[in-house]
């Protein structure tokens, strides 16, 4: 059963912008953290940005701060606006949702995949930035 569904992505030249969307389809009564992760060729998957639905909590990895913006609406949709994209931003982008009540980040404010957390994952969408 699909719990998280992302869309968007595509190809853009360096300096351009792209938007990603994520629908949290789970029937959870409480709030939960929704995050975007990405995986570039040959690298481990890394957190990009996260938001705690129903609250003002937003978190960004250092490379995303100032260029990317995560937001939500009242329909449990989460959006990632990406600007000033560079070729190193290319990769597969995933939307993931954590267990209700679990935090978006660890004690060092990093968006990481801890065992047993971020239980629902989208299928991924490709982002390609050409120079």
């Amino acid at each position: 059963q699909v719990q998280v569904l992302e869309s968007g992505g595509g190809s853009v030249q360096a300096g351009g912008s792209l938007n990603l969307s994520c629908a949290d389809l789970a029937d959870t009564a409480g709030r939960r953290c929704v995050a975007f992760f990405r995986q570039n060729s040959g690298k481990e998957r890394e957190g990009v940005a996260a938001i705690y639905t129903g609250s003002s909590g937003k978190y960004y990895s250092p490379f995303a701060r100032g260029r990317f913006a995560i937001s939500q609406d009242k329909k449990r949709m989460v959006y990632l606006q990406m600007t000033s994209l560079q070729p190193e931003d290319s990769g597969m982008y995933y939307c993931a949702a954590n267990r209700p009540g679990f935090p978006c980040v660890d004690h060092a404010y990093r968006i990481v995949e801890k065992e047993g957390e971020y239980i629902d994952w989208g299928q991924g969408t490709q982002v390609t930035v050409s120079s």
Side-chain angles (χ1 to χ4, degrees):
Q1 185 177 2
V2 177
Q3 300 290 347
V4 171
L5 186 63
E6 74 244 304
S7 59
S11 298
V12 69
Q13 289 190 327
S17 302
L18 285 173
N19 298 321
L20 304 181
S21 300
C22 177
D24 184 358
L25 306 175
D27 184 21
T28 55
R31 301 173 300 169
R32 66 176 183 167
C33 181
V34 176
F36 284 92
F37 289 81
R38 72 181 187 184
Q39 187 165 25
N40 302 328
S41 177
K43 294 184 180 180
E44 291 187 358
R45 191 157 57 188
E46 60 182 350
V48 178
I51 190 167
Y52 212 91
T53 58
S55 78
S56 59
K58 299 179 182 180
Y59 307 89
Y60 297 94
S61 289
F63 63 82
R65 196 170 293 119
R67 298 190 299 132
F68 296 0
I70 194 167
S71 61
Q72 61 181 302
D73 65 14
K74 295 181 180 180
K75 298 181 180 179
R76 304 182 68 177
M77 289 291 299
V78 174
Y79 306 97
L80 183 67
Q81 295 176 297
M82 303 184 292
T83 63
S84 300
L85 286 163
Q86 300 300 317
E88 53 266 32
D89 293 315
S90 297
M92 189 69 78
Y93 282 68
Y94 300 89
C95 179
N98 209 338
R99 298 179 182 275
F102 277 61
C104 287
V105 294
D106 66 5
H107 66 282
Y109 290 91
R110 296 171 301 184
I111 306 165
V112 294
E113 296 179 56
K114 287 186 176 181
E115 185 175 352
E117 298 185 11
Y118 286 106
I119 56 173
D120 296 321
W121 288 81
Q123 77 283 2
T125 185
Q126 182 68 38
V127 169
T128 302
V129 184
S130 58
S131 57

